[in-house]
Amino acid sequence: MFEGLRFNHWKTSEGDDGVVTLTLDRANSSVNAISRAVLDELEQIIERLSINKPAGVIITSAKPSGFAVGADIKEFVEYAKHDAVLENIEHGQRVYEALARLPCPTVAAVHGACMGGGAELILACRQRIAADDEKTRIALPEVMLGIHPGWGGTARLPRLIGATEALPLMLTGKSLSAKRALSLGVVDRLARPEDLLTEARVLLRHAPARPFARRAKAWASNTWLARQVLAPMVLKQTAAKVRKAHYPAPFAMIDVWKCGGSSINQRLKIEARSVAKLAQTPTAQNLIRIFFLQERLKSQGAGVDPQIKHVHVVGAGVMGGDIAAWAALKGFDVTLQDREMKYIQPALDRARALYEKKLKAPDKIEAAMLRLRADVSGSGVAKADLAIEAIYENAEAKEALYATIEPQFQNNQILASNTSSIPLDELRKNLAAPQRFLGLHFFNPVAQMPLVEVVRHDQLDPLIEKRALAFCKAIGKLPVAVKGTPGFLVNRILMPYLLEALRMYSEGVPGPVLDREAKKFGMPMGPIELADTVGLDVCASVGRELAPFLGLELPPGLDDKLAAGKRGKKDGQGLYVWQDGKPQKPTVPEDYVTPPDIADRMILPMVNEAIACLADGVVDDADLLDAGVIFGTGFAPFRGGPIQYARSEGIDKLRAKLDELAQRHGERFKPKNGWDNPVLAASGLELPAASDD
């Protein structure tokens, strides 16, 4: 059937029954990213199929990792640079629509990751079957890149499963398990992974009719009247979560669905124009840059064996206990040490709750609990490949602990501290093997925060650093290597923001006003709520450690709160009163006049410190700095990080604002060393060199 045609990315075969199997296997890549070349070849294949009319077509993947990870994002960036997004979106739509119009049954056989353009490819098939495996995940996550589905996702998914189910999936980018995809009707059948293609042929010959109730629901939720009624409701729900000015893609997608009629061609046309418009927004450009920065962080531990199987954690408090629980969740044998069992048991209880949430199956939960063992005596140190110290922030106490741990090491074990601010040059001074000592600074809550700072010092062995980066990758975290100066990267940049917000609070600016202005800028949580959530005791401890180094002072009133036992959320009282885990924010008087420079007083100290960090070599480059601050603090992702924000706003403009703030509010706002760094003049939007992986 395909005589005379040669394909680099597709394998074709025809069975005796006349069924053609198309296997996507992108050349020179470990995953299937759908590039222009992949689509061009598929277009040729579909043209031949439309002429020869086989008994049926099965589309599957040769990659063990999954079906397809989505569109080739690097190509998409190039299209955006050359104003060619619309043409390339329309090209992909034409290929998928030609597949949808083939005059024969088509089945997509899905395993592993099926994302974005891959999910849109299977939606263009008549039927879908998925491997009944926990690795199977189906999603349309384009909103995370500042765009929305463009190869027919918005046109087909609402019509397949109903708008009320489809819109939330596309608005959040949430992935579906195989079973959830089946229950929603995204796929028609599940099969054991080893039987996937066999069952796909059965489905091809005996495709069941979609249940009437499901078809009726899908039709009813997409009528003109339903779209006019539902769209404003969904817009309101979306606006309650994100600002349109910050994240325009979800709002644009709702409009695309609302305006789309019964004609698939009309719906595709509206979809394509919307994606092309979104691709030119700063939000999309910054979110795509962050995607590549995330991939860069993930790759830092690639190709290195961490040589770690057993992890020993000393300190079963919130941080140490949760680090131990997470490592055990990810398959490591873990021993958890503290002075008495009564300090370890709460950590074990939290671990079980985590495993019940993440693993669901009782046998998997128990297996994880068996990997996490209480160790009051500390005997696990001698058997460990990595020992993590997570006790309270006191240099003398940490050094005394190291003196008991290090003699128990046999040869090449790593000793790590979870200190959040103490310089490692200070902590390593009495070690026998400082070259095997470093910082692994996790963030709270460990199960939710993706970043780990891998903290260097002047005697660290580079191979040990690489093993630590590989360990972070193995536990599913994003590592960034940082210099071991006070506060490292994240706390050094975050603390000026928090301390300035607390100072304004002490000056009489209402907490809800400060929180509102920070969230208006794009921060995920306001600084007053954040201080209460972290704990005022923690803020005070880190603040005292860093304030002299940063040239700052602790604001008045903090010690009074601590003396009264009002540490924040954990005590039920702090800067706010807390009920059922939520802050009860007081009402701001209607006649309160918000000072015009509140946002600048909070945000610009972060930018100022970020530029100083870059000048001091705290991280290797500006991209890593932006990535670390975004994944460590939640700094407004759509702004691209503090360095990218400074570039986009204008270096001279922000430096002038800092000078004005210094004149008005004090020397702490004076621009720090680094504002003349030529690196700041770069656009910050250049992406890594092209790669097929």
Side-chain angles (χ1 to χ4, degrees):
M1 184 179 293
F2 299 102
E3 294 83 2
L5 295 177
R6 290 175 57 86
F7 304 117
N8 293 320
H9 308 295
W10 291 91
K11 297 173 182 176
T12 62
S13 63
E14 183 176 5
D16 294 338
D17 55 1
V19 173
V20 172
T21 300
L22 306 179
T23 303
L24 178 56
D25 189 11
R26 180 166 170 173
N28 305 313
S29 176
S30 61
V31 296
N32 286 327
I34 300 176
S35 62
R36 180 64 183 247
V38 168
L39 287 173
D40 286 344
E41 290 186 0
L42 181 58
E43 185 174 31
Q44 294 179 57
I45 292 168
I46 292 171
E47 286 176 1
R48 190 63 62 92
L49 292 172
S50 64
I51 296 169
N52 292 324
K53 299 181 176 62
V57 176
I58 295 172
I59 300 181
T60 187
S61 162
K63 304 297 187 188
S65 60
F67 187 83
V69 295
D72 187 315
I73 305 301
K74 289 180 182 175
E75 282 193 354
F76 184 85
V77 171
E78 291 303 312
Y79 299 148
K81 284 181 180 177
H82 298 96
D83 199 22
V85 170
L86 182 61
E87 187 272 324
N88 283 279
I89 289 290
E90 289 176 339
H91 173 255
Q93 287 182 343
R94 284 194 301 272
V95 175
Y96 283 12
E97 181 60 8
L99 171 63
R101 292 179 182 272
L102 279 177
C104 64
T106 52
V107 171
V110 181
H111 73 277
C114 181
M115 303 287 156
E120 290 173 296
L121 176 56
I122 72 171
L123 288 173
C125 295
R126 307 274 176 83
Q127 305 285 328
R128 288 151 294 280
I129 185 169
D132 189 2
D133 184 87
E134 62 183 15
K135 294 179 181 178
T136 300
R137 309 299 295 184
I138 300 172
L140 290 165
E142 287 86 347
V143 289
M144 297 177 183
L145 299 177
I147 56 176
H148 59 65
W151 285 340
T154 69
R156 292 192 176 93
L157 188 62
R159 306 279 164 158
L160 178 68
I161 65 173
T164 53
E165 300 287 3
L167 290 176
L169 292 177
M170 294 187 289
L171 288 169
T172 62
K174 182 180 179 182
S175 66
L176 299 174
S177 66
K179 286 184 171 62
R180 182 61 177 152
L182 177 66
S183 69
L184 287 177
V186 176
V187 300
D188 303 283
R189 190 171 294 174
L190 301 183
R192 294 188 305 173
E194 61 270 25
D195 298 331
L196 184 61
L197 289 181
T198 301
E199 292 297 321
R201 299 183 94 84
V202 174
L203 180 60
L204 196 70
R205 291 193 298 268
H206 305 289
R210 290 176 64 222
F212 173 77
R214 181 169 284 168
R215 285 185 285 125
K217 177 184 175 183
W219 175 83
S221 65
N222 284 284
T223 63
W224 180 87
L225 180 60
R227 285 182 277 120
Q228 309 317 303
V229 172
L230 283 174
M233 295 168 59
V234 180
L235 280 169
K236 185 177 180 180
Q237 293 168 357
T238 303
K241 297 175 182 177
V242 295
R243 294 174 182 268
K244 185 176 181 179
H246 295 171
Y247 297 100
F251 299 89
M253 195 193 72
I254 295 167
D255 286 339
V256 165
W257 171 73
K258 179 183 177 183
C259 296
S262 59
S263 165
I264 181 71
N265 289 330
Q266 180 211 22
R267 299 199 300 274
L268 291 173
K269 188 174 184 179
I270 296 170
E271 178 187 76
R273 289 178 175 175
S274 179
V275 173
K277 183 177 179 181
L278 288 168
Q280 299 301 323
T281 64
T283 293
Q285 293 167 1
N286 282 327
L287 292 181
I288 289 171
R289 173 173 171 264
I290 291 167
F291 168 80
F292 284 110
L293 294 182
Q294 183 174 355
E295 294 301 301
R296 180 180 173 190
L297 294 185
K298 286 180 182 177
S299 70
Q300 288 191 115
V304 177
D305 180 1
Q307 302 172 42
I308 295 170
K309 292 183 173 60
H310 181 175
V311 179
H312 184 81
V313 180
V314 184
V318 171
M319 288 306 298
D322 290 359
I323 292 167
W326 187 262
L329 174 69
K330 293 300 179 178
F332 289 85
D333 291 322
V334 181
T335 42
L336 178 58
Q337 179 183 350
D338 213 311
R339 290 169 292 165
E340 297 179 46
M341 190 63 201
K342 68 179 182 181
Y343 298 117
I344 300 176
Q345 190 59 51
L348 299 180
D349 294 340
R350 291 197 310 275
R352 179 173 288 277
L354 173 67
Y355 301 157
E356 288 172 351
K357 181 179 179 181
K358 294 281 187 182
L359 300 175
K360 305 290 193 298
D363 58 331
K364 293 180 180 178
I365 294 168
E366 293 309 316
M369 289 301 299
L370 287 173
R371 290 194 294 270
L372 176 60
R373 303 187 301 280
D375 182 15
V376 175
S377 68
S379 60
V381 172
K383 304 171 187 175
D385 305 299
L386 167 66
I388 301 176
E389 165 269 305
I391 65 172
Y392 58 99
E393 288 290 86
N394 180 281
E396 290 76 17
K398 290 177 187 291
E399 289 170 22
L401 177 63
Y402 303 159
T404 68
I405 291 176
E406 207 177 15
Q408 298 182 63
F409 281 173
Q410 306 299 314
N411 42 48
N412 203 30
Q413 291 98 325
I414 299 174
L415 174 61
S417 174
N418 184 53
T419 180
S420 59
S421 57
I422 301 175
L424 263 68
D425 288 350
E426 179 181 341
L427 292 178
R428 60 106 184 122
K429 59 188 179 185
N430 294 322
L431 291 174
Q435 71 275 13
R436 296 202 304 274
F437 171 69
L438 46 63
L440 286 178
H441 179 219
F442 291 75
F443 293 84
N444 189 28
V446 173
Q448 296 176 30
M449 297 297 286
L451 191 77
V452 175
E453 289 178 316
V454 177
V455 189
R456 298 163 165 162
H457 59 86
D458 58 353
Q459 294 185 21
L460 175 62
D461 182 342
L463 179 58
I464 297 298
E465 178 182 322
K466 289 178 181 177
R467 287 175 59 195
L469 293 169
F471 170 71
C472 292
K473 179 179 176 66
I475 60 171
K477 295 297 183 183
L478 302 176
V480 60
V482 299
K483 196 173 180 180
T485 49
F488 314 139
L489 174 68
V490 172
N491 279 340
R492 177 173 168 179
I493 290 173
L494 183 64
M495 200 46 57
Y497 162 76
L498 277 180
L499 292 180
E500 190 61 30
L502 291 171
R503 178 187 287 268
M504 284 190 277
Y505 180 87
S506 70
E507 292 171 357
V509 180
V513 172
L514 292 163
D515 286 348
R516 183 191 68 208
E517 293 301 310
K519 292 186 76 172
K520 190 184 293 185
F521 175 81
M523 300 301 284
M525 180 184 288
I528 304 304
E529 184 177 344
L530 177 62
D532 261 2
T533 302
V534 171
L536 298 183
D537 54 333
V538 175
C539 291
S541 173
V542 177
R544 288 191 185 93
E545 181 73 35
L546 295 184
F549 177 76
L550 297 174
L552 301 174
E553 297 177 357
L554 284 184
L558 206 53
D559 288 336
D560 294 340
K561 290 283 186 184
L562 296 176
K566 298 178 179 180
R567 296 176 298 172
K569 182 178 180 179
K570 53 192 167 188
D571 288 331
Q573 287 189 74
L575 303 172
Y576 293 133
V577 173
W578 290 74
Q579 292 179 4
D580 300 322
K582 295 183 179 180
Q584 307 303 301
K585 298 187 179 183
T587 302
V588 178
E590 290 185 8
D591 60 351
Y592 180 79
V593 178
T594 302
D597 60 359
I598 279 184
D600 284 344
R601 283 185 66 180
M602 289 188 289
I603 303 302
L604 292 189
M606 294 180 79
V607 177
N608 201 14
E609 204 59 50
I611 287 173
C613 283
L614 194 60
D616 292 347
V618 173
V619 287
D620 291 341
D621 57 53
D623 283 347
L624 287 176
L625 188 147
D626 277 345
V629 176
I630 287 170
F631 293 117
T633 72
F635 184 97
F638 69 93
R639 296 191 187 276
I643 301 299
Q644 181 60 21
Y645 171 67
R647 289 165 169 160
S648 62
E649 288 293 301
I651 299 299
D652 293 339
K653 174 184 173 183
L654 293 192
R655 180 158 48 180
K657 279 190 173 185
L658 282 167
D659 283 328
E660 290 174 12
L661 289 172
Q663 291 177 5
R664 201 177 309 138
H665 299 290
E667 291 291 300
R668 65 187 180 278
F669 287 102
K670 286 196 71 171
K672 295 196 170 187
N673 180 44
W675 283 84
D676 294 322
N677 190 335
V679 171
L680 298 179
S683 72
L685 291 175
E686 294 303 315
L687 299 177
S691 166
D692 287 322
D693 272 2

